[in-house]
Amino acid sequence: MTTTTDTPAIAATGLRKSYGDKTVLDGIDLHVPEGTVFALLGPNGAGKTTAVKILSTLITADAGAIRVAGHDPAADADAVRAAIGVTGQFSAVDNLITGEENMRLMADLHHLPRGEGRRVTAELLARFDLTDAAGRPAATYSGGMRRRLDIAMTLVGSPRIIFLDEPTTGLDPRSRHNMWQIIRELLTDGVTVFLTTQYLEEADELADGIAVLHGGRIAAHGTAAELKRLVPGGHVRLRFEDPGAYERAAGALRETVRDDQALTLQIPSDGTQRELRAILDWLDAADVHADTLTVHTPDLDDVFFALTAVPEKSENFDKSEETVR
């Protein structure tokens, strides 16, 4: 992850989209600083792809103030398209031609001069470790290779903002981790990444900011650490080898859960430095020393399940996601 800035690459306020009486996005706000990774999480049909399609000028919103790279997608779509790249859920790779031919086709679509197109193609194929496979039909590529080619094609136009809509769906764990490294490397060029995903570990690993979309609304937003503090279950666990020290600690600390057989105490905590310092101060005041101390915080799975526990109404669905499935 990278250091955030105050300049928004993407800003949306009151974003709404409906299909007839079907509400997909119900007034959501988004703020994505330049040079960061932003993850939009949500269950199937939550509206993630609809949000991406609106921000990338593929469809228009019913309401809301939107700026992408400083431009309004509805009023100045060409300026937005010149600044962005989009990698959708389903690969844009043409399996009937080679990887290199796919890249050159994309260079032609960007109206790059022939020499520059060849140079950019060679550089990106090398960057994504596809040079050796460049002359083979894309149909022979593995899923991970096709996904790398897909992102390489997206980078041909040197976009400032890249939308990655569930980029690792269907990939094996090794290919997924390789894709994470590629996304991290994009940030070194100052690129902003807008990521939708259902993999909670992915958001935890990559995102500077996260929003959970549910029922057409943003259920929560913040950093991974901030979201994890929203749900209960965090605690500090102390383990003792000396039964006497264990008993003194149990008497000194409040709201502890005892395990007399394992000589461990579990103290509710949100994992903040202030709470940890308070626990250590209590132990010092009682002249007790724990043999081990571990901090346990809820993970993003806990956050996701807690925030999306209420079933969505049947009329709230993402039509654009339903259409492509």
Side-chain angles (χ1 to χ4, degrees), residues 180-198:
W180 293 354
Q181 185 57 38
I182 288 171
I183 293 171
R184 293 187 186 103
E185 290 171 358
L186 292 175
L187 299 180
T188 64
D189 299 329
V191 172
T192 302
V193 177
F194 188 105
L195 170 74
T196 73
T197 182
Q198 296 183 60

Side-chain angles (χ1 to χ4, degrees), residues 4 12 31 39-40 53 58 61 63 67 70 85 101 132 150 152-153 157 177 179 198 215 229 245 247-248 310:
T4 62
H31 181 92
L40 185 62
K53 287 188 173 184
L58 295 177
R67 287 293 181 272
E101 288 169 339
D132 291 343
D150 210 5
M153 291 166 60
H177 280 265
M179 188 61 62
Q198 296 183 60
R229 289 198 289 268
E247 290 294 342
R248 292 197 303 276
V310 179

Side-chain angles (χ1 to χ4, degrees), residues 9 40 65 97 104 124 127 143 145-146 152 172 178 189 191 206 211 220 243 252 254 292 304 313:
L40 185 62
I97 60 178
R104 289 185 181 178
L124 288 171
R127 178 177 178 180
M145 291 172 67
R146 278 195 297 272
D172 61 76
N178 289 340
D189 299 329
V191 172
L206 297 173
R254 291 173 282 181
T292 61
F304 185 85
K313 296 179 181 179

Side-chain angles (χ1 to χ4, degrees), residues 4-259:
T4 62
T5 68
D6 293 329
T7 305
I10 300 169
T13 305
L15 187 59
R16 296 180 181 275
K17 183 66 179 179
S18 299
Y19 296 97
D21 61 351
K22 317 293 185 182
T23 301
V24 180
L25 299 175
D26 192 10
I28 70 171
D29 298 338
L30 299 170
H31 181 92
V32 183
E34 288 183 349
T36 66
V37 177
F38 175 85
L40 185 62
L41 307 182
N44 283 337
K48 302 186 299 298
T49 293
T50 291
V52 169
K53 287 188 173 184
I54 292 171
L55 296 173
S56 60
T57 77
L58 295 177
I59 59 175
T60 58
D62 296 334
I66 310 169
R67 287 293 181 272
V68 178
H71 305 284
D72 183 343
D76 201 354
D78 287 343
V80 172
R81 290 168 188 157
I84 68 172
V86 182
T87 299
Q89 292 182 34
F90 302 96
S91 175
V93 171
D94 187 336
N95 286 324
L96 299 180
I97 60 178
T98 68
E100 184 173 10
E101 288 169 339
N102 270 283
M103 294 293 294
R104 289 185 181 178
L105 176 61
M106 189 59 63
D108 289 342
L109 291 173
H110 282 278
H111 305 292
L112 297 183
R114 182 180 178 86
E116 184 180 353
R118 288 180 178 273
R119 177 185 60 79
V120 170
T121 291
E123 288 178 354
L124 288 171
L125 287 171
R127 178 177 178 180
F128 287 88
D129 196 23
L130 291 168
T131 301
D132 291 343
R136 287 166 34 198
T140 67
Y141 288 11
S142 68
M145 291 172 67
R146 278 195 297 272
R147 214 55 172 140
R148 296 205 307 274
L149 179 60
D150 210 5
I151 293 181
M153 291 166 60
T154 300
L155 294 179
V156 167
S158 301
R160 293 160 49 196
I161 301 168
I162 296 178
F163 293 93
L164 300 178
D165 194 9
E166 301 192 17
T168 61
T169 296
L171 297 186
D172 61 76
R174 183 180 297 277
S175 296
R176 186 173 298 128
H177 280 265
N178 289 340
M179 188 61 62
W180 293 354
Q181 185 57 38
I182 288 171
I183 293 171
R184 293 187 186 103
E185 290 171 358
L186 292 175
L187 299 180
T188 64
D189 299 329
V191 172
T192 302
V193 177
F194 188 105
L195 170 74
T196 73
T197 182
Q198 296 183 60
Y199 295 112
L200 286 304
E201 181 188 8
E202 189 160 273
D204 207 353
E205 282 282 335
L206 297 173
D208 300 287
I210 299 170
V212 180
L213 184 61
H214 181 63
R217 298 182 178 182
I218 300 297
H221 63 86
T223 65
E226 288 168 343
L227 292 181
K228 290 172 186 177
R229 289 198 289 268
L230 293 178
V231 298
H235 61 272
V236 173
R237 180 173 296 168
L238 305 173
R239 187 182 65 82
F240 300 86
E241 294 181 0
D242 177 10
Y246 167 72
E247 290 294 342
R248 292 197 303 276
L253 298 172
R254 291 173 282 181
E255 299 182 17
T256 58
V257 176
R258 299 173 54 126
D259 185 335

